[in-house]
Amino acid sequence: GKHLDDPASVDPAIAGASLQLHAMRGDRALFDRYRSAFEAAKNPSVRQRYLAALGAFDDRAIEDAALRYTLEGPLRPNEVFAVPLTIAQCSEAAADRSFEWTKANYENLAGRLPESFRPFLAGSGSGCSAQRYASAREFFGDPSRNVQGMERQLAKVGDQVKDCVDLRG
């Protein structure tokens, strides 16, 4: 609540986490307040905090609304990754949903991004699943999507996944 009324009153180091914690138990009304605050924010850091929090609601209908907003809302190219990334951090099942959504909406997402940003879509294959990473390698390695920088990004994602899988093992 306090952040919505006066963003400057909350320590920036905890503001994003606070918004996401409130979102986890929030309803559609809170989602709409966060979306309005995102759209009204002039400060890029404040915009990013609200946008990321849109992906933290523990409600599938709101999650779907947040993903739709990613495709249809007034997001800048560097903001397109925020909601799917937040969703993916919730659980491995959520990471799978986020990855499948990214693949299903690739054309729309790629169209919103400069070519130099497109390799970062491979990050949707990150997490702790070798199977999801293998699917990401196949999908993003396809010649129609393999833009300059994609192989390097896929290698980084592969290293992250391997580290996570090894650590769990």
Side-chain angles (χ1 to χ4, degrees):
K2 191 174 180 184
H3 194 281
L4 278 167
D5 299 327
D6 182 13
S9 70
V10 179
D11 182 343
I14 63 164
S18 174
L19 288 171
Q20 289 186 33
L21 285 170
H22 282 91
M24 291 168 76
R25 292 195 188 88
D27 59 9
R28 183 60 196 237
L30 183 63
F31 175 86
D32 291 339
R33 287 180 68 200
Y34 279 13
R35 191 187 63 228
S36 294
F38 162 75
E39 291 176 4
K42 303 286 184 248
N43 178 313
S45 296
V46 173
R47 275 179 66 89
Q48 189 67 23
R49 283 196 285 271
Y50 279 111
L51 184 59
L54 292 178
F57 287 79
D58 190 18
D59 176 311
R60 274 311 256 296
I62 297 174
E63 181 181 291
D64 290 344
L67 290 169
R68 253 190 326 280
Y69 188 69
T70 296
L71 296 174
E72 300 165 2
L75 279 67
R76 298 170 183 147
N78 63 313
E79 295 172 332
V80 169
F81 305 98
V83 168
L85 183 64
T86 301
I87 291 170
Q89 292 170 342
C90 293
S91 68
E92 286 300 317
D96 284 338
R97 287 194 309 273
S98 182
F99 174 63
E100 292 303 323
W101 176 86
T102 299
K103 289 193 314 184
N105 292 283
Y106 176 81
E107 294 304 321
N108 185 319
L109 292 165
R112 294 192 71 159
L113 297 170
E115 190 171 298
S116 62
F117 281 33
R118 290 184 199 156
F120 297 110
L121 290 169
S124 64
S126 64
C128 212
S129 167
Q131 185 177 351
R132 184 171 50 249
Y133 174 66
S135 182
R137 270 218 73 79
E138 183 180 333
F139 183 80
F140 293 107
D142 180 278
S144 68
R145 293 179 279 271
N146 198 343
V147 296
Q148 183 176 354
M150 185 63 79
E151 284 302 320
R152 185 171 55 252
Q153 195 61 34
L154 282 167
K156 285 182 182 177
V157 170
D159 289 345
Q160 179 275 310
V161 171
K162 182 184 181 317
D163 289 347
C164 184
V165 170
D166 288 352
L167 198 61
R168 282 203 175 155

